[in-house]
Amino acid sequence: MISAKDTVYPVIKEEITNKELAECFLPTEDEILFCKNETRSNLNFLFMLIILKSFQRYGYTVLLSELKNKIIEFISENVDVRVTKDEINIYDLSRIRRRHSSVIKKFLKIKSFTEDGENFVSEIAYNLSKSRENTADIINGTIDALIREHYELPAFSTLFRLCKHQKVMVYKEIFEQIFSSLDDLDKIKIKELFTYSKENTRSEWDKIKFEIPNAKQKNIKKLGELVKILSVWNKLICKLDDIPLNKLNQFVAEANALDLYEILETEEKKR
């Protein structure tokens, strides 16, 4: 499984520079006034302000206990309110934090991911999976779309799950498309590609899978045999014309990694 660090998903860095603190976590007068009007105590005012600034930076509601002390101290010093670790841990588990998160999203005009976010990501990921092969690229595309549409970002594991599922669905559709285009004779021909006899323990799949030999005199016979086998497949290869090249390259890589037994274990439509 890829990690959030392999994508553009905003993660809390181990080191926070003073420049980043000033650019991303310095509260404005309007933000201070907003948080004061929404809270009744200095402590909750500070908590809400930290949640607000971190949401602006990361795109989702963080646990304050996961934030670097440097961030909390920076905001705390700017509004002259102090907080302890125990108070932070209590706040992270409180209903007040959830209420603050909801109010902040309204203030920032951000849609909650629970508002049809899964369907939105699934649709984007499905369309991206048709042209992109790398899962990280698909996730990056969904993140860009979520930001454009003013959605909060879900947990990275949620994005990964949804994108991976849609990628698999696109694969299945491609397999279905190719398989449904085959007639009975085509299917028999493909089945024969993976069969062998007692007299000949090598299937045609084994013969065409090895690297094409150099065009030397001793390899002419092998080359001729290979060309003869491949020429039979010209009609079927044409059925792949509408499949994106990156998908075909992926299928080739997967097929090359499988031996005959593993091929026979796969679903017929995928062969």
Side-chain angles (χ1 to χ4, degrees):
M1 174 178 168
I2 63 175
S3 71
K5 292 181 180 179
D6 299 317
T7 70
V8 298
Y9 190 87
V11 295
I12 300 172
K13 298 177 183 177
E14 289 298 322
E15 295 294 332
I16 305 292
T17 65
N18 291 333
K19 181 181 178 183
E20 186 176 355
L21 284 173
E23 291 179 350
C24 302
F25 295 99
L26 183 63
T28 66
E29 290 184 8
D30 286 343
E31 290 165 350
I32 291 173
L33 181 61
F34 164 72
C35 291
K36 279 187 174 180
N37 290 337
E38 291 291 336
T39 55
R40 296 180 180 178
S41 70
N42 286 339
L43 196 57
N44 282 335
F45 156 68
L46 174 62
F47 287 147
M48 189 173 188
L49 193 58
I50 296 172
I51 291 289
L52 170 61
K53 297 309 296 182
S54 59
F55 197 105
Q56 290 173 324
R57 173 64 181 86
Y58 301 112
Y60 52 89
T61 303
V62 302
L63 289 171
L64 297 195
S65 55
E66 294 179 351
L67 281 177
K68 300 303 174 185
N69 289 337
K70 197 172 181 180
I71 296 173
I72 295 174
E73 289 170 1
F74 177 78
I75 299 174
S76 174
E77 289 172 2
N78 269 278
V79 294
D80 196 25
V81 179
R82 299 295 179 265
V83 63
T84 66
K85 286 186 178 181
D86 287 341
E87 289 169 330
I88 287 173
N89 291 332
I90 292 171
Y91 175 76
D92 276 345
L93 299 174
S94 69
R95 292 182 180 179
I96 296 174
R97 174 182 172 274
R98 292 192 289 272
R99 191 188 77 79
H100 286 174
S101 176
S102 177
V103 173
I104 285 169
K105 279 183 275 190
K106 290 179 182 178
F107 175 70
L108 297 175
K109 298 179 181 177
I110 298 294
K111 288 181 278 190
S112 174
F113 188 73
T114 56
E115 297 177 23
D116 208 37
E118 276 209 17
N119 290 333
F120 177 78
V121 166
S122 294
E123 183 179 352
I124 297 296
Y126 172 79
N127 290 326
L128 289 172
S129 295
K130 292 180 179 179
S131 58
R132 301 183 186 185
E133 181 56 38
N134 190 290
T135 304
D137 289 340
I138 298 170
I139 291 173
N140 289 342
T142 62
I143 291 172
D144 290 341
L146 285 166
I147 293 172
R148 281 197 307 271
E149 294 300 317
H150 304 286
Y151 270 104
E152 71 172 324
L153 296 180
F156 179 78
S157 58
T158 299
L159 276 181
F160 178 82
R161 172 178 58 81
L162 294 173
C163 291
K164 190 73 174 176
H165 176 71
Q166 293 306 317
K167 184 178 175 182
V168 170
M169 293 302 294
V170 168
Y171 277 160
K172 285 185 177 180
E173 287 183 3
I174 292 175
F175 297 145
E176 289 280 356
Q177 173 189 333
I178 296 172
F179 192 76
S180 63
S181 70
L182 302 175
D183 58 32
D184 290 341
L185 290 177
D186 293 333
K187 293 173 184 176
I188 291 173
K189 190 184 298 182
I190 291 174
K191 188 174 182 180
E192 290 175 346
L193 178 65
F194 304 109
T195 59
Y196 58 91
S197 62
K198 290 182 179 180
E199 294 76 22
N200 188 356
T201 57
R202 294 186 71 214
S203 67
E204 287 197 350
W205 167 252
D206 294 315
K207 293 176 183 178
I208 65 176
K209 185 182 173 183
F210 67 82
E211 295 290 332
I212 297 177
N214 295 325
K216 295 180 179 180
Q217 185 66 35
K218 63 179 181 179
N219 291 326
I220 294 299
K221 184 178 179 181
K222 285 184 178 180
L223 280 168
E225 184 180 345
L226 187 60
V227 170
K228 183 179 178 181
I229 293 172
L230 291 175
S231 64
V232 177
W233 295 92
N234 283 339
K235 173 192 168 187
L236 292 180
I237 290 174
C238 292
K239 297 181 184 293
L240 305 178
D241 289 345
D242 295 332
I243 309 302
L245 182 60
N246 63 335
K247 299 298 181 189
L248 289 177
N249 288 337
Q250 178 64 24
F251 297 156
V252 170
E254 289 182 15
N256 278 331
L258 300 178
D259 58 27
L260 180 60
Y261 175 78
E262 290 169 324
I263 287 284
L264 293 174
E265 287 292 300
T266 62
E267 185 184 2
E268 185 180 5
K269 292 178 181 179
K270 191 176 179 179
R271 294 177 192 170

